[in-house]
Amino acid sequence: MMMAAAVVQGYASDDDIRAVATTFGGVEHRIEFVREKDGVKYYNDSIASSPTRTIAGLNSFQQKVILIAGGYDKHIPYDVLGQPICDHVKLLLLTGATAPKIRECVENIEGEHPPIIEVENLETAVQEAAARARRKRRCCYHESGQRVVRPL
């Protein structure tokens, strides 16, 4: 936000910069708060349609999460997801064409892995995540099939 203010300095008034800085809710579909239901906060991160964006989303949370991953296969490498998933994910729900690739990249990491469950579709994945989430958690959906459920 500070960088944006610096870039427009001299082109916009200080009042306009201040107004945007205090009211800007973030980029649509980027870790965007959707709702809270039964004590679980849901976030939409559907813009995270690549491993690097998914990793950035996972890194934005301080505690382990429930992650729904999978979807359309863009024929890109997923191996970079293995370690961040092991580091940041409490439960991994997989669906779609990339489910086997994501499972493999996680299982190839030495050490502890989150439990992995494959489900038929995103709707089932969301239901499973909601059923396993406890109160005071967050749930975040990523376009590449990632949904994050995390403690507050």
Side-chain angles (χ1 to χ4, degrees):
M1 187 61 82
M2 294 300 293
M3 179 60 88
V7 169
V8 298
Q9 187 66 39
Y11 296 102
S13 73
D14 288 347
D15 287 340
D16 288 342
I17 294 170
R18 193 174 299 101
V20 170
T22 58
T23 61
F24 180 66
V27 177
E28 189 174 18
H29 307 293
R30 185 66 177 140
I31 313 174
E32 175 185 22
F33 178 73
V34 175
R35 71 181 291 192
E36 182 172 347
K37 182 177 181 198
D38 300 327
V40 178
K41 291 186 178 182
Y42 291 83
Y43 291 83
N44 176 359
D45 199 17
S46 60
I47 203 168
S49 60
S50 70
T52 54
R53 286 182 170 191
T54 299
I55 292 166
L58 288 173
N59 286 335
S60 72
F61 296 105
Q62 295 179 358
Q63 297 172 331
K64 290 199 173 195
V65 301
I66 294 174
L67 175 67
I68 297 172
Y72 176 74
D73 190 352
K74 294 181 172 184
H75 304 286
I76 57 177
Y78 288 87
D79 58 321
V80 296
L81 278 174
Q83 191 64 59
I85 287 174
C86 290
D87 292 343
H88 297 281
V89 175
K90 185 175 186 169
L91 172 66
L92 179 60
L93 297 163
L94 295 174
T95 187
T98 57
K101 290 182 177 184
I102 297 169
R103 174 186 282 277
E104 181 180 10
C105 78
V106 171
E107 290 177 343
N108 284 338
I109 300 299
E110 288 189 29
E112 214 172 297
H113 306 114
I116 301 172
I117 300 172
E118 290 194 35
V119 295
E120 185 176 326
N121 55 44
L122 182 59
E123 183 178 346
T124 303
V126 172
Q127 291 170 352
E128 185 70 26
R132 290 174 176 263
R134 293 182 312 215
R135 297 181 58 75
K136 302 277 187 181
R137 295 220 174 227
R138 295 182 184 150
C139 186
C140 185
Y141 171 70
H142 301 261
E143 180 61 33
S144 57
Q146 288 76 18
R147 180 171 299 270
V148 180
V149 182
R150 54 177 296 110
L152 293 174

